[in-house]
């Protein structure tokens, strides 16, 4: 049921930066806001980015979101060990009339 | 403090029913969007359903349409997900979520539903 494509994994050393892509279509990413969630195993997801590029209160400014057409991206700068987690994008799909999630990306901090 | 406490999960046979409850505190369900999201252990997130504050807008994922019903009891400040005709593939951890993607985004702790004979 994942309509949004993400790379399965990426990694970096502490202090480095990584970028995660989220590829959708004109009915979801290209049309509506994109949200990014972080999930640490065993815990509920946490909202990192809302409305394409807005950080909720309490989210570190090391996390940033962007969108161009049907491609959205999450950038993490200055990697820290606590960033080792799974990351998901999400968007409303106006054809399905449903939210769709990305396939998820595992970020490993080496 | 905003909290969502889920209950009602467990083991059920294929074809059976369960009702998940999502008890809210620190906010009023009648003024909030409530969503359900599920996750097979070790797999990705899947959006299931949503309802707005007054219940006038309700949406479902195609995979549960006609089988699941989302509702609220404003007097109990609780949201529900009635799940009928359950299938093995409905096995997952179910999360209730307040204001998915919004500034007041909050998730419950998740509740496991296992559909198996």
């Amino acid at each position: 049921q994942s309509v949004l494509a993400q790379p399965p994994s990426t990694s970096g050393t502490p202090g480095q930066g990584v970028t995660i892509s989220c590829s959708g279509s004109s009915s979801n990413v290209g049309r509506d806001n994109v949200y990014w969630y972080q999930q640490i195993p065993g815990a509920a997801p946490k909202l990192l980015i809302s409305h394409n590029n807005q950080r909720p209160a309490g989210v570190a400014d090391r996390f940033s979101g962007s969108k161009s057409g049907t491609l959205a991206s999450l950038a993490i700068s200055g990697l820290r060990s606590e960033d080792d987690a799974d990351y998901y994008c999400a968007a409303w799909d106006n054809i399905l009339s449903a939210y769709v999630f990305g396939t998820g990306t595992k970020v490993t901090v080496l | 403090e905003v909290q969502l406490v889920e209950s009602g999960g467990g083991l059920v046979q294929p074809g059976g029913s369960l009702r998940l409850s999502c008890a809210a505190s620190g906010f009023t369900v009648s003024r909030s969007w409530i969503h359900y999201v599920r996750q097979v252990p070790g797999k990705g997130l899947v959006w299931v359903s949503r309802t707005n504050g007054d219940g006038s807008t309700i949406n479902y994922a195609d995979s549960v349409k006609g089988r699941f019903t989302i509702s609220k009891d404003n007097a109990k400040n609780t949201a529900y997900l009635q799940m009928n005709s359950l299938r093995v593939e409905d096995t997952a951890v179910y999360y209730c979520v307040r204001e998915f993607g919004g500034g007041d985004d909050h998730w419950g702790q998740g509740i496991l539903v296992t559909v198996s004979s």
Side-chain angles (χ1 to χ4, degrees):
Chain A
Q1 278 177 305
S2 292
V3 178
L4 309 181
Q6 297 180 234
S9 63
T10 189
S11 63
T13 57
Q16 283 188 328
V18 297
T19 299
I20 301 168
S21 61
C22 172
S23 179
S25 69
S26 58
S27 65
N28 43 64
V29 174
R31 177 187 178 93
D32 216 308
N33 291 311
V34 175
Y35 308 91
W36 288 93
Y37 284 89
Q38 177 194 61
Q39 186 179 33
I40 293 167
K46 171 189 172 184
L47 182 65
L48 283 183
I49 298 290
S50 70
H51 299 86
N52 304 318
N53 55 20
Q54 305 299 305
R55 276 187 309 275
V59 174
D61 59 7
R62 301 184 296 104
F63 296 95
S64 62
S66 63
K67 189 179 84 169
S68 178
T70 60
L71 184 66
S73 298
L74 173 71
I76 310 173
S77 62
L79 271 174
R80 302 175 67 162
S81 58
E82 57 261 38
D83 299 333
D84 198 296
D86 296 316
Y87 293 82
Y88 297 90
C89 59
W92 179 257
D93 189 294
N94 80 307
I95 293 179
L96 297 175
S97 291
Y99 277 97
V100 289
F101 278 98
T103 47
T105 298
K106 168 65 179 173
V107 171
T108 300
V109 182
L110 301 169
Chain B
E1 180 192 2
V2 170
Q3 278 194 321
L4 299 104
V5 178
E6 304 175 57
S7 59
L11 175 65
V12 62
Q13 291 188 337
S17 298
L18 274 181
R19 188 180 77 161
L20 302 184
S21 299
C22 174
S25 58
F27 72 99
T28 305
V29 297
S30 63
R31 299 177 187 169
S32 300
W33 284 90
I34 298 293
H35 299 241
Y36 275 90
V37 174
R38 69 185 182 184
Q39 183 174 38
V40 174
K43 302 296 184 181
L45 300 169
V46 176
W47 181 86
V48 173
S49 180
R50 72 170 183 176
T51 179
N52 66 344
D54 62 7
S56 60
T57 299
I58 293 177
N59 299 100
Y60 298 97
D62 284 346
S63 58
V64 307
K65 207 170 289 183
R67 301 187 298 123
F68 289 13
T69 303
I70 192 170
S71 63
K72 297 178 185 176
D73 183 331
N74 294 335
K76 294 183 178 179
N77 208 33
T78 298
Y80 302 97
L81 186 68
Q82 177 68 43
M83 305 185 295
N84 299 330
S85 303
L86 281 162
R87 305 167 181 168
V88 170
E89 54 265 34
D90 294 320
T91 295
V93 173
Y94 285 73
Y95 295 97
C96 64
V97 186
R98 178 202 183 197
E99 300 291 347
F100 178 89
D104 293 321
D105 180 293
H106 284 88
W107 292 57
Q109 83 281 8
I111 191 91
L112 179 63
V113 171
T114 303
V115 184
S116 174
S117 54

